[in-house]
Amino acid sequence: MVRKCRIWWPTHLSTHPTHSSTLLFGWFFESSSSDLLDVVVAFGWTHTNVHSSRLQEIIHQTNRKMPMGLQDESNFTIIGCCQANLQGDGKSVASVAKTDNRTVSVNGIIHSKKDQKSLKMMKKKKNMLELNKRVSVEKKNWIQLVYDFSENVGKRKYWIPKMQHMKWDGMRIPDLHLHVIIYETPKYGGHHFSLGSYTSSEHKKSTIKKPMWVEDLHEKQTLPDLDTAILAINSAAAAKLYFEELVLPGVSKARFCILHMFLALTWRLFAISVASLSTSIYVIIQFLRVLLSCGSESCMYIISTKLFIRTYKNVQFRCCQILYWPIFLQNGARRSTSCVEYAEKAALRKHLMWSSVAVDVLLGNILGVLMLIHAKSVTSWTLKLFINITNYVLRMGCVSLMGNPAGFKLNNELATVLGMLSLNAIQIWSTICFFLSSYFLYFIRGVAICGILFGLTTSAALIIDFISLATMHVRCLHWLISLIFSHQLQAVAALWRLFRDQKLNPLRQRLDSYDYTVDQHVVGSLLFTPVLLLLPTSSAFYIFFALMGTTVSFICIFIELAISVIHATPYTKVFLWIVMPRRFPFGLWVEIVRRQCDAIDDLETGAVGSLVLFLHSSCLNIRQVVFPHYKFLCSAVSRLSFATSMYGILIGRSLPSALNNFPSSSLTRLPMTLPWMSIPYKEYWRLCHDAVLAREECVMQ
């Protein structure tokens, strides 16, 4: 049986082939079908100044820092070696060390620096070959590669390795179908590979039943055992970094130059200043919380909390976000950074909160500064708008309903009662608002200051609470008239069932037959006529106030949707996608560079077929990046909720709040629920200081 082998080869080993033999480090994977072998090459190593026992210890320590999922599948180890070889045209990939018209001998006399350099190269190559032979004897799994040929891909030239022989479980594999997949080593902040799937509204299951072969095709795994190989590829850069830190500890010390020390000192001073400022804000917030908790049982506090419930929740949530920023910026486990994919996802989650706060506060400062500059103009415009709505919409609408609206003849007595009741309520509320209008300028400035301190979402929540408070008379009249209208509808429906000898069964939600008496029919007939004739008058008033209440509700809904969008938008992802879309991979595709099957010159090495491919990654578009964060908005504003709301308005249900007919808990859902933090001030200062210093390590790396 011909076995298949996929060698995942890093690009840097093909662009800069070494002059001597190179040890290859990486992972071996065997698929469940046992006919496919995956060999992931992480990096190559040409130094020979490490003893074999010390090398095994370094490999073991490096493997312990790899992700647990990768350790469960395979261990990081020496997988083989690669060396220069003669091509078909007789020329060597590596340059042969020569002197002026003579070859240097190891035991000869050295007469020049050029000879010394050649001798060192030959000694190094000899030591490396001896190390390769010694390690290959100890290893049960081993691959021997040589640089066979070169290919021009684009504007660059790549040297492609060729299998010389391969041992698996101590036995040499005679027949081997080889695939060489060249990949660019993923790096944090650059790119990585991912097999993650994306589900959108287009990919949802349809109601049409699909054939069985379509479902089997979706369930079939087209590319077997790629998850572990991609995980190893994403961990290759970290493996090389850990290995170099253990083998060459002096290299890391060389970074501490004067410039590095100056930057480190500057960053530490910045960390101290940020920690001190954050601790001061922490003390102020904790003091205000204690002050408010002392008066939490007072009637004034309870009423203000009820009236400004949205503002209270947004301020509390923003304070928690400000308090928790050092917790979110703390470094996670070192193992989570071993895989570039895991590190990228952890960084995005880590920076999601503070970026949302930063954008929200920036927008709030823009709005706040503009409102402070034009506070008087905004005050006069808002008061004029309120007066015009009160005089030309509410009062004129009630007066027209008391007459003959649109040519319809209504009941004068009922229309007069409802109209006078509405006009009196509007007049009373207008008088109260007139006396409070002198303080409206301070309210505008309060909204501006609230936006500057807590962000745009808190100012928007305060505006929603103010709209709800300013339109309280409209909601009260809507509730009262909807109560009358709904009871009239229920009475008409009940009397209509009486004439049909039917009775509503509320337990089983159905109509049952029932024999009414003559007296009940007479009383029902006497009540049915006036109730039916008065229904158009009450319905006219109900339609008017339902339109007004629904308009106010939709304004508040629109503002709350804007608040939810501001909270849910992943600003970090959007910015990174604009700068570098490769950081958001979606699926893999390969480019075939060279194909050679059943070649005559491959029979000596046992490779009955070879295929050279370049691994590439597709990227998500901006819609696929942002849409998952808006799923809850789509579920909140659904057809079912909209239809239910419209049906409730038609049958006379009241709208006591702005979002009664819509799932307001979904629309105003905050990103996360955070408990209030209460820790000592010194410990909070230390958390802030360590969080900023943790960012310094990422920047220096």
Side-chain angles (χ1 to χ4, degrees), residues 535-593:
L535 185 61
T537 304
S538 58
S539 63
F541 278 87
Y542 172 75
I543 291 172
F544 174 73
F545 284 102
L547 289 174
M548 297 300 299
T550 306
T551 302
V552 174
S553 298
F554 274 107
I555 292 174
C556 296
I557 288 171
F558 178 77
I559 299 176
E560 290 197 6
L561 281 173
I563 293 174
S564 299
V565 168
I566 293 174
H567 278 305
T569 302
Y571 302 100
T572 306
K573 289 185 177 181
V574 173
F575 175 75
L576 292 178
W577 184 88
I578 295 174
V579 175
M580 186 175 292
R582 294 184 65 191
R583 298 184 69 171
F584 300 92
F586 171 55
L588 304 173
W589 63 279
V590 292
E591 177 186 0
I592 299 178
V593 178

Side-chain angles (χ1 to χ4, degrees), residues 498-537:
L498 184 145
F499 297 147
R500 299 171 59 191
D501 289 334
Q502 291 180 345
K503 183 180 180 180
L504 178 64
N505 189 345
L507 296 178
R508 297 187 178 182
Q509 295 294 325
R510 69 181 186 183
L511 295 176
D512 297 335
S513 60
Y514 186 79
D515 294 333
Y516 292 96
T517 62
V518 177
D519 296 338
Q520 290 174 337
H521 278 283
V522 172
V523 173
S525 301
L526 294 176
L527 291 177
F528 180 76
T529 303
V531 172
L532 182 62
L533 293 177
L534 292 177
L535 185 61
T537 304

